[in-house]
Amino acid sequence: MVGAGLGGLSCAVRLQRMGFEVHLFEKNPEPGGRMGRIEGGGFVFDTGPTLLLMTDVYRELFRFAGRRLEDYLDLVPLDGDYRIHFGDGGALTMRRSLPELVLELERLEPGVTPRFYRFLESAALKYRLGRGGFVERDFERARDFFNLHNLWLLLRTGALANYYRSVSRYFRTEHLRQAFSLQTMYLGLSPFEAPAVYALLPYTELAEDGLWFPRGGMYSLAEALTRLALELGARIHLRSPVERVLVSKGRARGLRVDGEDLPFDAVVVNADLPYAYRVLLGGAADGDFRLRRRGRLRYTASAYMLYLGLGTRAEGLLHHNFFLSARYRKNFEDIFARRVLPEDPSFYVAAPSRTDPGMAPEGGESLLVLVPVPHLGGEVDWGAGGVGLPGEGVQAPGGTLRGRAELGPLRAGPDPRGLAGGVQPGAGCGLRARARHLPGGLLQAPARLPERGRAVLRGGQHPPRDGGAAGGHRGQAGGGADGTGSSAAGGGGVRVDPAGSALADGGLSLEGCYRLCRNIQRAHSRTYYFSTRLLEQEVRRGVHALYAFMRYADEIVDNPGTLPPNGQLAALEDLEEETLAALGGGPTENPVLRAFADTARRCGIEERHIRSFMRSMKMDTSVTRYPTYRDLEEYTHGSAAVVGIMMCRVLGVEDVRAYPHAEALGTAMQLTNFLRDIAEDWRRGRVYLPLEDLERFGYKPGELGEGVVDERFAGLMRFEILRARRLYAVADEGMGYIPRGRRYAVLVARELYAAILDRIEESGYDVFSRRAETSWPQKLTLAAGCALREPGEILSGLCPARIATGS
């Protein structure tokens, strides 16, 4: 089994009880999946779910195993379930006792009682029929779901009607309509778009099992399931990341764990579906989850989280508290339709120490604040280091909450870091700073390297390369190149024409400048040039120009020869100044800049992205080591991620929701090149592998220069390859945004670069003695495979006049 979240633990209990020998592999140091724990200074915080409903499910699981839930978990019923604070200052306490709740409802809407009971009757029908007919049934084939019986159930329950309109039939005041519709946010959905079947949520709270809380926090539930699974004989392997599900003849035959292939009779995967298909199955199940379908998926909301340890009690709070926006509908429209931060956000506050005083020091309070925000593909720049929500601070009914530095640091559990690479964007994984942080970063954006003392600065210039041009190591932009000199190079002898054709100058026509850019790409990027040729002519010219510009800037710092580091920096600054001037219509004799400026103006490439790219190039003049992956991300953001955004502009992608996926693809390609070019980069004096990763596997940086390939190095490479594949999986989710007819070329490029990782694995991770690359027959085979998966792309490419601008 893959993944020791609650689903994996529960499944392991059942299978072990049924007589299977269960091995459960979990990449994190602790089980629990999305359910985690943070401790420190006497405070305890749950980092995952905070509301516990339908405890009968867990009681039945323990009975199935021959145990009693009460022997493993101390469950506390919440008498006053939660309080709702409305935007106009009113409040409502949702009571466990129906007579007490009716008094509360009548206070806000006199005469509502008969309609409230009719609401419960309708919700009970949805709960009974929906749970038995849909939730607790398996549907292996489409015809299992789409049949007359299920159609009758859907019609009888009205399950597919609009939820908010359904609630409004029973309640006349906006207060109660909000109170009985906000529950869809448990699932990250808007009540104005969710189906009416979710009326079963408030029904479960009020008329079924109610709300509960495990003493010690929600993570106690994960601990109880772990204990039960171990007692039954299941074997749980922690810190054991699964790299691949081994498939043979259409059946799962085992798992690849830390580079070792382990055979099993059956495999259960408890992971997000896109991640399982793209990473764990490596595309073997593409037929079950097509790119063109996934490109249209709408993601749920994300959440901005605050964990607050208070030295005093916060007055006026129950265990669960909802603070609703005065602009309730607009709050959801901002999150789901406009995908911007709400001006007046709704938020949720959990105060578990109200129920379990042991979760905070005596006299203190542990609070969790959750603010629903747009998913990571929205119109929000998360990279500034903070979310920037409106308002002057967090307000509780008793006043402003103030921090106390003397409480000391918290000890974080596995939840945030463990979730970072295994979920798709918006799938309940909390806030990350841009897509580039999905595989490894947490919450805040990385600080800028020049301001950090940990960066390793270089005192000398790059050592010369061993002749010839290097293969690209910066994603689409490639690595070093040769070219033709210009004033932009500061007189450093950088050549613009690595293809070896006649020297270019300002006398070239614009078409001649584009041809020169094509020659540059053709000479030094066989893989990327192969996929570029699959585009129609006009788009292809823009890709040539973009590549040549990136290559030209890159060569200033990679050229073996004449410029010291300060000269390289000056040359890059000159190039940046001339590029921006050309972008504004100024004259330039540099043929690469003429073509690139023309492309940038036509396609709307923004100046800020050019500046970001140039900043990363300047880093190469001073930074040769990256202590952590976050430090490396500061570099790859400009050198690869924004290149993905610029490619979106060249390809005519109009939906900005594609940008995080494009950033992920650019970064994945660059990481792939880093792994392929370790030896070459070492000869230049650089190590792009984060030093913390080398230390993790006990591998010394100097051993890279010696070409040491052993189990330590193999473990390091497996770790880095998995990181790159996670980024490829994030990128795959955005392919549907690319206009039809142009998507095929990007698919091929993605497959060709990802195949380099396969070649590295096939070589036993020896990247020192032979360069990992795909042969011409392999390129054709991969391109044919992409064509078979997306035959409509080929037809669209043959008829470019019919290309659409959407997915």
Side-chain angles (χ1 to χ4, degrees):
M1 296 187 59
V2 183
L6 260 63
L9 291 168
S10 300
C11 189
V13 166
R14 292 189 183 275
L15 291 175
Q16 189 70 36
R17 180 65 172 174
M18 293 166 63
F20 288 89
E21 180 185 343
V22 177
H23 289 259
L24 182 55
F25 295 92
E26 169 60 47
K27 66 178 180 296
N28 291 319
E30 297 177 16
R34 285 177 170 81
M35 184 175 280
R37 175 184 284 164
I38 296 176
E39 299 178 71
F43 295 95
V44 181
F45 302 95
D46 287 308
T47 62
T50 59
L51 293 103
L52 180 59
L53 298 165
M54 297 171 63
T55 60
D56 61 299
V57 173
Y58 298 100
R59 298 179 197 278
E60 187 277 329
L61 174 65
F62 277 77
R63 284 196 302 270
F64 181 85
R67 305 290 202 278
R68 295 174 65 251
L69 176 64
E70 292 76 12
D71 296 333
Y72 292 75
L73 202 62
D74 183 7
L75 285 178
V76 181
L78 301 183
D79 290 331
D81 282 359
Y82 54 84
R83 182 169 294 149
I84 302 170
H85 298 265
F86 301 104
D88 61 2
L92 167 67
T93 301
M94 303 291 277
R95 296 290 183 182
R96 190 181 184 94
S97 164
L98 282 181
E100 292 179 340
L101 176 59
V102 165
L103 291 177
E104 278 283 284
L105 300 182
E106 286 286 339
R107 178 175 60 84
L108 294 179
E109 186 177 322
V112 73
T113 301
R115 286 179 276 111
F116 168 62
Y117 282 122
R118 286 199 297 273
F119 168 78
L120 287 183
E121 179 184 19
S122 172
L125 182 65
K126 293 179 175 64
Y127 178 84
R128 297 297 178 197
L129 296 182
R131 180 170 173 177
F134 298 106
V135 177
E136 295 177 344
R137 284 186 58 196
D138 290 330
F139 300 99
E140 295 185 3
R141 296 171 298 274
R143 64 175 178 270
D144 295 338
F145 182 87
F146 295 104
N147 55 51
L148 292 178
H149 176 71
N150 287 348
L151 177 61
W152 174 81
L153 286 179
L154 293 172
L155 293 176
R156 183 182 176 192
T157 59
L160 299 182
N162 179 273
Y163 184 38
Y164 187 82
R165 287 198 295 269
S166 176
V167 168
S168 299
R169 291 173 51 202
Y170 303 98
F171 304 105
R172 295 170 181 169
T173 62
E174 188 61 23
H175 278 168
L176 295 193
R177 290 175 177 178
Q178 294 177 10
F180 288 97
S181 65
L182 65 86
Q183 291 80 6
T184 61
M185 280 305 294
Y186 299 171
L187 308 175
L189 301 175
S190 166
F192 298 98
E193 298 178 359
V197 68
Y198 290 121
L200 62 85
L201 291 171
Y203 172 79
T204 305
E205 296 172 352
L206 300 174
E208 280 289 324
D209 198 32
L211 286 172
W212 298 76
F213 186 73
R215 197 171 299 279
M218 291 288 289
Y219 190 71
S220 299
L221 180 56
E223 292 176 323
L225 289 174
T226 300
R227 175 186 162 194
L228 176 61
L230 292 173
E231 287 179 358
L232 293 175
R235 303 178 188 181
I236 302 178
H237 307 271
L238 301 175
R239 296 186 177 89
S240 300
V242 175
E243 299 168 4
R244 187 68 61 91
V245 175
L246 304 177
V247 179
S248 175
K249 298 181 179 180
R251 292 183 60 83
R253 306 293 183 180
L255 300 173
R256 179 174 298 164
V257 183
D258 279 340
E260 183 180 0
D261 290 351
L262 304 176
F264 292 104
D265 297 312
V267 173
V268 176
V269 177
N270 180 46
D272 276 15
L273 195 62
Y275 175 80
Y277 278 165
R278 287 301 177 196
V279 178
L280 299 181
L281 289 173
D286 280 356
D288 297 330
F289 207 60
R290 303 292 294 175
L291 279 173
R292 59 174 173 266
R293 279 210 311 267
R294 287 168 40 239
R296 299 187 186 126
L297 292 178
R298 297 184 63 188
Y299 295 118
T300 59
S302 294
Y304 180 74
M305 311 291 293
L306 295 171
Y307 300 98
L308 306 175
L310 307 184
T312 185
R313 303 277 281 182
E315 299 300 326
L317 295 178
L318 298 181
H319 187 122
H320 299 294
N321 309 269
F322 295 89
F323 295 82
L324 302 185
S325 169
R327 290 170 283 187
Y328 184 71
R329 182 187 291 267
K330 185 177 184 298
N331 177 76
F332 287 107
E333 291 174 346
D334 286 342
I335 295 172
F336 293 96
R338 287 183 285 274
R339 297 180 178 84
V340 298
L341 289 176
E343 297 176 1
D344 179 18
S346 297
F347 60 96
Y348 159 75
V349 177
S353 48
R354 291 302 169 101
T355 301
D356 183 358
M359 298 191 71
E362 184 176 357
E365 192 91 85
S366 60
L367 297 183
L368 176 150
V369 181
L370 183 155
V371 186
V373 294
H375 74 82
L376 294 179
E379 301 293 312
V380 182
D381 183 3
W382 302 108
V387 68
L389 285 168
E392 298 180 355
V394 178
Q395 296 287 329
T400 303
L401 306 180
R402 301 184 182 276
R404 291 174 54 192
E406 67 268 22
L407 292 177
L410 295 177
R411 181 181 67 80
D415 182 64
R417 192 174 294 276
L419 284 175
V423 295
Q424 60 182 349
C429 49
L431 176 65
R432 306 289 191 274
R434 296 179 179 263
R436 65 183 187 273
H437 293 308
L438 284 171
L442 291 173
L443 298 181
Q444 65 267 43
R448 296 187 178 277
L449 277 173
E451 301 168 1
R452 301 178 64 169
R454 291 188 298 149
V456 180
L457 303 181
R458 191 185 68 169
Q461 72 179 80
H462 294 298
R465 289 178 295 186
D466 296 339
H473 70 276
R474 292 194 174 87
Q476 297 100 316
D482 304 308
T484 303
S486 79
S487 59
V494 179
R495 293 164 48 215
V496 187
D497 183 16
S501 61
L503 292 179
D505 55 32
L508 280 178
S509 66
L510 182 60
E511 189 58 37
C513 295
Y514 274 111
R515 283 197 299 270
L516 175 65
C517 293
R518 180 196 63 194
N519 292 338
I520 293 174
Q521 185 182 11
R522 180 172 59 185
H524 292 284
S525 180
R526 289 180 300 229
T527 297
Y528 201 59
Y529 183 72
F530 178 90
S531 57
T532 302
R533 293 174 64 188
L534 303 174
L535 294 164
E536 71 263 30
Q537 174 64 25
E538 186 60 28
V539 179
R540 193 187 315 161
R541 295 167 76 245
V543 177
H544 294 326
L546 177 59
Y547 178 92
F549 169 71
M550 305 284 174
R551 190 83 186 195
Y552 183 87
D554 193 15
E555 179 59 17
I556 291 177
V557 290
D558 280 348
N559 187 48
T562 56
L563 286 178
N566 58 347
Q568 294 168 351
L569 181 61
L572 288 171
E573 290 176 345
D574 288 344
L575 175 62
E576 181 177 7
E577 181 180 349
E578 185 175 359
T579 300
L580 296 179
L583 191 64
T588 177
E589 294 185 356
N590 187 323
V592 168
L593 294 190
R594 289 179 61 201
F596 175 68
D598 180 69
T599 293
R601 287 192 296 268
R602 285 188 298 103
C603 300
I605 293 176
E606 298 180 47
E607 177 181 316
R608 62 190 178 100
H609 292 141
I610 297 173
R611 290 188 181 276
S612 182
F613 168 75
M614 293 303 300
R615 181 184 180 278
S616 289
M617 295 300 98
K618 295 173 189 176
M619 287 175 63
D620 264 338
T621 68
S622 60
V623 182
T624 62
R625 303 290 191 274
Y626 296 87
T628 69
Y629 181 64
R630 287 196 190 180
D631 296 326
L632 181 63
E633 286 177 318
E634 180 75 5
Y635 174 79
T636 60
H637 171 61
S639 63
V642 298
V643 177
I645 296 177
M646 287 191 267
M647 274 296 299
C648 281
R649 304 305 305 166
V650 173
L651 291 170
V653 177
E654 297 180 352
D655 196 326
V656 296
R657 289 176 293 177
Y659 287 179
H661 306 285
E663 288 183 327
L665 182 58
T667 306
M669 289 179 167
Q670 184 167 59
L671 293 182
T672 299
N673 286 329
F674 285 160
L675 297 178
R676 180 189 60 189
D677 297 336
I678 288 175
E680 190 172 331
D681 288 330
W682 174 265
R683 291 193 293 271
R684 295 194 186 107
R686 302 188 193 126
V687 175
Y688 287 106
L689 300 183
L691 298 183
E692 66 176 359
D693 294 351
L694 273 72
E695 183 178 355
R696 179 197 300 261
F697 292 93
Y699 194 91
K700 304 297 184 183
E703 293 178 288
L704 295 173
E706 300 170 5
V708 176
V709 179
D710 55 16
E711 185 52 39
R712 295 171 303 146
F713 185 73
L716 171 65
M717 292 296 285
R718 285 194 292 266
F719 180 82
E720 304 296 346
I721 287 173
L722 180 60
R723 172 178 279 156
R725 283 179 172 150
R726 286 171 175 170
L727 276 168
Y728 281 121
V730 173
D732 290 340
E733 302 302 320
M735 292 294 182
Y737 292 113
I738 303 172
R740 292 196 65 83
R742 299 172 184 175
R743 198 176 305 164
Y744 176 61
V746 181
L747 287 171
V748 172
R750 178 252 190 261
E751 292 298 325
L752 292 179
Y753 270 84
I756 294 173
L757 301 178
D758 297 333
R759 304 291 89 79
I760 293 174
E761 290 176 328
E762 292 167 3
S763 70
Y765 306 104
D766 183 4
V767 294
F768 300 102
S769 60
R770 183 178 179 182
R771 182 181 177 85
E773 55 188 356
T774 53
S775 66
W776 184 254
Q778 288 170 333
K779 286 182 173 68
L780 293 177
T781 300
L782 288 170
C786 293
L788 290 174
R789 293 207 309 267
E790 295 284 343
E793 282 294 297
I794 303 299
L795 295 176
S796 297
L798 294 175
C799 306
R802 299 174 59 187
I803 290 177
T805 57
S807 59

